[in-house]
Each structure stands twice: as C-alpha cells, then as structure tokens.
C-alpha cells in the first residue's frame, strides 16, 4: 500500500469512527450523566485499552523532556475539542452539531496557509467554499428558526481545537512519535480536564445500565482510539490539509 493510499484510507476510517460520537453519547445523557462524567469514562476506558495495546506491542514509552509540554498541549487541545462538541449537544441537534464540526478541514487549510506557507490547489479551495456554504445552510432549522448561537459557538471552538491538534501533530517535534504512543499520552493529559471539572471525581456520575457501560466503552474504542490513531497515520502519510479534507469528505 502506497503512503498516499494508506493516508486516504486511514482518513476515511478516522472520519467514520469520529462521527459515531452522538450515537454513544446521547444514551448516556438520557441516563442523566453530565458531559464531564461521560467524557471521563470515555477517556478512562480509552487509556486502559491503549495501555494494554502498547504493552502487547512492547512500545518504548520513554519520552524526552522537551516532548512533555507538547504532549500536554495536544492532549488538552483534543480534550477541549471533545468537551466543546459534547456541550453543543445540549443546545442543538446532535446530527447538525456533528456535521458543523467538520468545518475543521477548512480551519486546517487556513492555518497551514497563513502560518506555514502551504499552497492549496484550486480543488482544495473549492472544497472549502462548498463546505462553508453547506454549513451555513445548517444554521437554520426546517421551520426557519435560527439554531442556538451558543451551540454553534461550541461546535466551532471544537473544530478549531481539533484543527490546531491536527496541525501540531504534523508540524511539531513529536511528529515522528509512534501513533499509539502519542495517542496514549494525549489521552492521559486530556482526562485531567474532567478530573478537575468533576471536583477530583467527587461529582462523577456513573452509568446505571449495561447499555450505558457499553456506550461508554464504545465511545472509548471508536471515536477516540480508532479515530485518533488512524487520523495520526493519515496526517503522517498525506499531510495535515489533505488528511483533514479527506476526513471531512468521508464524513
């Protein structure tokens, strides 16, 4: 498999898996769980699964001193993206929120053009224009009323956080770190947000049913581990902009 094919294939898998967020999150909301509790279990399960995977693969987990700040930054960025997206579900339809989220390829392309001098093809800019036009149509519901401005703001903040994460993974000194190892440390730092927001877990709410625990596990597996690892593989094979656009197109 050539790097290009590998990159586009991984991007498609990342998009499909990340798009499953509302499928598993909404049942947990209906059980009365808070956003922070849902995301804590998502990250906790994901960390456990990644630790088991890395142990089986015998990956060297040593990290250089200068890499720790970057791992912390990217972990918090990805976690912030999750938090803003899940908060938006409380203010707007989850399907619309998840669709608007895929504005991040536009943001990636703009960041790469402004800060790294990357030249995008006319086809890339056409895709960006179409994406912006499509998202603008989603700001109104079927009856003509405006979608919650706060909900849209949360989704756009989620997109921006994810876009910066994507660019950072490709452009920083940790770009060559194994995908699974990078993902593990990013999750370890990301979960700190929910530990703080639940007041050191004293306000943590747990699933009440087998369905709830299953959804929490699936949140960890599909839109977290599979999406993060395949997205990193895609970025390293075809670059930040192409990977982001492929993920957005596949979604």
């Amino acid at each position: 498999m050539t790097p290009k094919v590998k990159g586009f294939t991984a991007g498609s898998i990342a998009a499909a898996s990340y798009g499953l967020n509302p499928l598993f999150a909404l049942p947990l909301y209906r059980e009365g769980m808070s956003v922070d509790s849902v995301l804590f279990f998502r990250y906790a399960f994901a960390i456990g699964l990644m630790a088991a995977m890395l142990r089986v693969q015998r990956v060297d987990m040593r990290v250089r001193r200068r890499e720790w700040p970057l791992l912390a930054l990217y972990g918090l960025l990805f976690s912030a993206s999750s938090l803003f997206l899940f908060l938006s579900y409380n203010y707007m339809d989850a399907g619309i929120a998840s669709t608007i989220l895929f504005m991040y390829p536009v943001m990636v392309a703009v960041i790469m053009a402004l800060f790294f001098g990357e030249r995008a093809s006319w086809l890339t800019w056409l895709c960006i224009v179409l994406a912006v036009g499509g998202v603008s149509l989603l700001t109104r519901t079927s009856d003509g009323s405006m979608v919650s401005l706060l909900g849209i703001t949360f989704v756009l903040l989620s997109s921006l956080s994810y876009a910066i994460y994507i660019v950072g993974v490709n452009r920083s000194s940790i770009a060559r770190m194994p995908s699974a190892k990078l993902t593990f440390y990013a999750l370890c730092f990301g979960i700190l947000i929910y530990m703080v927001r639940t007041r050191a877990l004293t306000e943590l709410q747990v699933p009440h049913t087998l369905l709830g625990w299953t959804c929490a596990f699936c949140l960890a597996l599909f839109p977290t581990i599979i999406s993060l690892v395949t997205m990193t593989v895609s970025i390293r094979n075809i670059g930040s902009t192409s990977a982001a656009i492929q993920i957005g197109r596949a979604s």
Side-chain angles (χ1 to χ4, degrees):
M1 185 180 292
T2 65
K4 187 173 183 179
V5 172
K6 185 177 181 180
F8 280 108
T9 301
S12 298
I13 295 172
S17 55
Y18 199 70
L20 296 175
N21 267 309
L23 177 64
F24 302 120
L26 296 183
L28 294 172
Y29 283 5
R30 287 193 287 269
E31 288 195 11
M33 292 181 64
S34 66
V35 170
D36 299 305
S37 296
V38 170
L39 287 170
F40 172 82
F41 281 106
R42 173 189 178 182
Y43 277 63
F45 277 128
I47 289 170
L49 289 170
M50 287 302 305
M53 181 190 305
L54 290 165
R55 185 174 179 82
V56 170
Q57 296 178 346
R58 297 183 178 180
V59 175
D60 182 3
M61 297 303 293
R62 288 176 296 181
V63 175
R64 288 175 289 184
R65 183 179 300 177
R66 63 187 178 87
E67 292 176 332
W68 284 114
L70 291 173
L71 289 171
L73 174 62
Y74 297 142
L76 294 175
L77 278 171
F78 182 78
S79 190
S81 178
S82 301
L83 178 59
F84 287 130
L85 176 62
F86 278 49
L87 284 172
S88 74
Y89 293 162
N90 291 322
Y91 298 94
M92 60 196 300
D93 180 81
I96 294 177
S98 296
T99 303
I100 295 177
L101 171 70
F102 286 96
M103 277 292 292
Y104 70 79
V106 174
M107 297 180 181
V108 168
V110 171
I111 291 172
M112 293 300 295
L114 291 178
F115 297 100
F116 297 98
E118 181 177 284
R119 293 185 178 181
S121 67
W122 68 268
L123 183 59
T124 296
W125 289 113
L126 175 61
C127 291
I128 289 173
V129 171
L130 292 175
V132 173
V135 166
S136 66
L137 297 176
L138 295 174
T139 58
R140 292 189 178 276
T141 61
S142 57
D143 60 4
S145 60
M146 189 71 178
V147 172
S148 167
L149 180 59
L150 183 57
I152 293 175
T153 301
F154 280 141
V155 177
L156 292 178
L157 286 173
S158 176
S159 296
L160 179 60
S161 301
Y162 199 39
I164 297 174
Y165 174 87
I166 289 174
V167 173
V169 167
N170 186 45
R171 290 288 178 166
S172 69
S173 59
I174 61 173
R176 295 187 179 276
M177 183 178 291
S179 301
K181 179 179 174 180
L182 190 157
T183 300
F184 174 78
Y185 283 118
L187 292 171
C188 287
F189 282 108
I191 199 173
L192 296 177
I193 290 181
Y194 312 113
M195 295 177 69
V196 172
R197 286 176 59 87
T198 57
R199 299 181 184 275
L201 306 184
T202 59
E203 297 180 359
L204 185 68
Q205 299 166 310
V206 302
H208 301 301
T209 65
L210 177 60
L211 174 62
W213 286 108
T214 302
C215 287
F217 179 82
C218 288
L219 271 176
L221 179 60
F222 295 104
T224 309
I225 291 179
I226 293 177
S227 180
L228 269 176
V229 171
T230 53
M231 191 253 318
T232 304
V233 171
S234 181
I235 290 170
R236 289 173 175 173
N237 280 275
I238 58 177
S240 300
T241 303
S242 295
I245 290 174
Q246 171 61 15
I247 294 170
R249 183 187 301 156
S251 66

